[in-house]
Amino acid sequence: MSTAILIEQRGAVDIVTLNRPDKLNSMNADMVFALQDYFRAAQDRHDVRVIILRANGPTFCAGLDLNGWVQDQSETGPVHKAWKTQRAIATVMQLMRSCPQPIISLAQGAACGGGFSLLLASDVRYGAPSLKMNAAYIKIGLGGCDMGSSYFLPRLVGASLASELILTGRFIHAERAKATGLISDITEEKELLTMGLALAEEMLDTAPMGLRLTKDALNRNIDAPSFDAAMALEDRQQVMLAQTEDSREAAKAFFAKRKPDYKDI
């Protein structure tokens, strides 16, 4: 079993920790495939309602570990080998977006390249004062658009700032990231997990299916072709959720001035 990531379950919250601090949590094959396996399995794990993504050590993730991939000698040519690595890492970001659980990322130190994209693919980001992020790809002779950066960044911070970061590979630090909405808040590194768990607890106060479908609607409506299309999805979700037992329980709890006892039915 890979030790490149650690999984701790606290009730309905999973804490996923990148665990290669001696390598600045850079992404080797073990880490990438362990993340793939975890987020793929999360699709059907309704016992896990919120995921917290964090990292051991002073660095969140320094990006790709160039020495951490054993090349398949059956593949001919550098393009074939590079394609397998490229797709392996990109698949992690796709699985993060498609898993039904909201993902709260907690980051300190550097988050470069693929590490930056792990944060971008999350739903909520909190950072320590030491956090600095960059789309490092253009710094190593590649295009600046990689691992979802050209999709996520313009939607999160607008085209101008996204272009500034992607076209240069320059770092954005915690204060500016918060000011531009790239991260939600800043706290001392030792308080990051407390902040993440507090937000997770608020999410757990919601109906399970309502939480899952809210992430789904946010994902879909960020690319909605029109306001009417976004409203149509919201209307259908609300009518469907109103028929659940949990919706009726929420109404009873409201009038009884008590906390709902959700059953995910």
Side-chain angles (χ1 to χ4, degrees), residues 118-186:
L118 287 174
L119 299 181
L120 296 176
S122 302
D123 297 285
V124 179
R125 290 157 293 279
Y126 289 139
S130 61
L131 177 61
K132 59 178 185 178
M133 301 164 280
N134 78 328
Y137 324 103
I138 203 166
K139 292 285 195 181
I140 57 172
L142 302 175
C145 301
D146 197 8
M147 302 300 162
S149 62
S150 62
Y151 179 87
F152 293 122
L153 265 177
R155 288 163 170 79
L156 290 169
V157 301
S160 181
L161 179 54
S163 296
E164 175 191 325
L165 298 177
I166 289 174
L167 291 169
T168 64
R170 66 166 50 172
F171 280 100
I172 181 169
H173 294 75
E175 289 291 344
R176 190 182 186 198
K178 180 183 176 182
T180 56
L182 184 53
I183 63 175
S184 295
D185 209 346
I186 301 169

